[in-house]
Amino acid sequence: MFGLIKKYDVHMCSEVKGCILNHGEPVNGARIRRELTYAHSVVEVDETVTDANGHFSMPEILITSKKPGDMFVHDVVLQRITILSNEETYVLWNTKQLGIEPFKEIEEKLLTLNGDLSSQEVRFTFPNKKNPSLEFDGLSICRWENDFEVFELEDDGTQFFSS
């Protein structure tokens, strides 16, 4: 009963930093839009714009909610960050975070959202160090040198699951 009255801190998204390029050249003035949804009902939206060097940043977002105390609520945060440039929309980050606490692995990826608009969107996985049998996954035009594995493209660029 007290769980329904108590308010909890809900981690919606870590700080975000990155750089947007197009064929290796910085993109100035691209709109970066972040949409966060908690428990399929609480929605937070914010935007920023890339500078002359293509860089951007967004602050961490925490909310206070009674929902984690409700036994019928599934603690899931959906994170979607897109780029709008020259009337085209690109997915910079799209994943789900289970629970209301931050994950170091997701924080690390969000601090290096470096994407090139000429790159193809890929579905990828990265390790969950606390629970190795439950990897994280996402969709993005970004690439990371470490802890990043594409799982939905063949070598020729076709989708793995298409017939």
Side-chain angles (χ1 to χ4, degrees):
M1 167 131 178
F2 291 113
L4 294 175
I5 298 170
K6 181 180 176 184
K7 290 186 177 182
Y8 300 82
D9 289 332
V10 175
H11 176 84
M12 297 280 284
C13 188
S14 301
E15 179 182 14
V16 175
K17 290 183 177 180
C19 181
I20 305 303
L21 305 174
N22 190 5
H23 296 282
E25 297 297 319
V27 177
N28 183 17
R31 286 180 38 211
I32 309 296
R33 179 182 172 92
R34 176 170 57 180
E35 300 172 35
L36 307 168
T37 305
Y38 168 62
H40 305 288
S41 61
V42 178
V43 178
E44 296 283 326
V45 178
D46 62 346
E47 288 188 1
T48 191
V49 177
T50 56
D51 66 16
N53 296 316
H55 295 134
F56 69 95
S57 65
M58 304 174 99
E60 176 183 38
I61 295 184
L62 296 169
I63 63 168
T64 301
S65 174
K66 294 179 182 175
K67 288 187 176 285
D70 184 338
M71 65 185 203
F72 298 109
V73 169
H74 186 58
D75 290 324
V76 175
V77 177
L78 304 176
Q79 301 173 334
R80 181 173 173 83
I81 302 173
T82 56
I83 310 162
L84 180 62
S85 178
N86 293 325
E87 300 184 26
E88 293 285 329
T89 301
Y90 304 86
V91 176
L92 193 56
W93 179 257
N94 189 9
T95 193
K96 66 180 175 185
Q97 174 184 291
L98 299 176
I100 60 173
E101 300 292 328
F103 287 89
K104 185 170 179 61
E105 299 88 339
I106 293 175
E107 288 178 337
E108 291 172 358
K109 292 282 185 273
L110 289 174
L111 287 174
T112 56
L113 281 183
N114 302 317
D116 193 308
L117 301 180
S118 64
S119 297
Q120 185 176 8
E121 286 179 8
V122 294
R123 292 204 176 276
F124 64 95
T125 61
F126 55 105
N128 179 337
K129 293 174 183 161
K130 285 185 181 173
N131 188 353
S133 63
L134 188 60
E135 290 183 315
F136 298 109
D137 63 80
L139 175 70
S140 180
I141 63 167
C142 297
R143 307 292 189 265
W144 293 268
E145 288 185 26
N146 300 316
D147 297 333
F148 171 76
E149 184 175 344
V150 174
F151 73 90
E152 198 173 289
L153 291 180
E154 294 286 356
D155 291 338
D156 63 358
T158 59
Q159 290 193 3
F160 181 79
F161 294 107
S162 64
S163 56

